[in-house]
Amino acid sequence: MKKQFIVIGLGRFGSSLVRTLVHSGHEVMAVDKNEQPVQDIADVATHALQADCTDESVLKELGARNFSHAIVAIGDDLQASILTTMLLKELQIPRVTAKAKNEMHGHVLSKVGADHIVYPERDMAARLGKQLSSNNLIDYIELSPTYNLVEIKVPPAMNAKSLKQLNIRAKYGCNIMAIKVGDYMNISPKAEDLIYTGNILIMIGSNEDINHLENDYEQ
């Protein structure tokens, strides 16, 4: 379903978000107080405008009330980030997502009404750290502070064995949701399905259980 977003702040994070949302089929108004980033994104965004969103009258002129989701992606200007978030909530935007520079910034954004706080730098560093510390981990998504969805390369010790033989759920408490074989995705694989080196397992489990599995099968 096509959605309408307003993205305020067109640094690296905001611009990348605009491109992703537009390529996913949504309508996006992209706004920044500086002219250059607006020009850079003009050919991509549905609408691209130069405006200072710390002014309530400007937000009203932009028609911010018409958007169901606003993303405040302002970078280093914490005051502008906080004020813009507060004004959007006062305009009764149903959902406001705000980018935070650090935990304190995120705490303040939450206090002024942000519905969702994102920490791009912290989350990317955590993801990269996970990948660098494991020989098999390709990617992971944090579902909660204690549970992750991960993509793991099948190590040699699992080669040509069935899921029943490996018995991963019983041994480690991890659930295998799918097996990627090249471009093919085997959703909800059966117990007798074999896996091979080069395949990718997509599984859900607690941090502790996933670490236990990785340590046992570390190359």
Side-chain angles (χ1 to χ4, degrees), residues 19 26 31 33 35 44 66 86 100 106 144 146 151 162 169 172 174 178 185 187:
R19 295 178 190 280
H26 304 299
V31 186
K33 66 179 182 179
E35 182 180 0
V44 177
N66 299 324
M86 182 177 68
S144 76
T146 56
E151 291 188 358
S162 69
R169 183 174 183 179
Y172 302 100
C174 297
M185 181 81 76
I187 306 294

Side-chain angles (χ1 to χ4, degrees), residues 1-98:
M1 186 177 77
K2 181 179 287 188
K3 299 179 181 179
Q4 293 180 319
F5 297 88
I6 178 169
V7 177
I8 301 170
L10 300 175
R12 283 176 296 180
F13 174 74
S15 297
S16 295
L17 183 59
V18 170
R19 295 178 190 280
T20 300
L21 290 172
V22 170
H23 291 160
S24 297
H26 304 299
E27 295 182 2
V28 183
M29 176 182 283
V31 186
D32 197 282
K33 66 179 182 179
N34 298 313
E35 182 180 0
Q36 190 58 52
V38 173
Q39 291 181 353
D40 292 342
I41 205 71
D43 291 340
V44 177
T46 312
H47 304 285
L49 300 168
Q50 182 182 359
D52 181 1
C53 292
T54 61
D55 186 331
E56 184 177 5
S57 63
V58 170
L59 286 173
K60 289 179 179 178
E61 288 177 15
L62 291 175
R65 281 197 180 101
N66 299 324
F67 293 89
S68 59
H69 197 151
I71 298 95
V72 180
I74 297 172
D76 293 332
D77 191 341
L78 303 191
Q79 181 174 328
S81 165
I82 294 163
L83 182 55
T84 301
T85 300
M86 182 177 68
L87 290 174
L88 288 168
K89 289 310 296 183
E90 288 181 352
L91 290 173
Q92 299 183 337
I93 308 297
R95 185 164 179 80
V96 175
T97 294

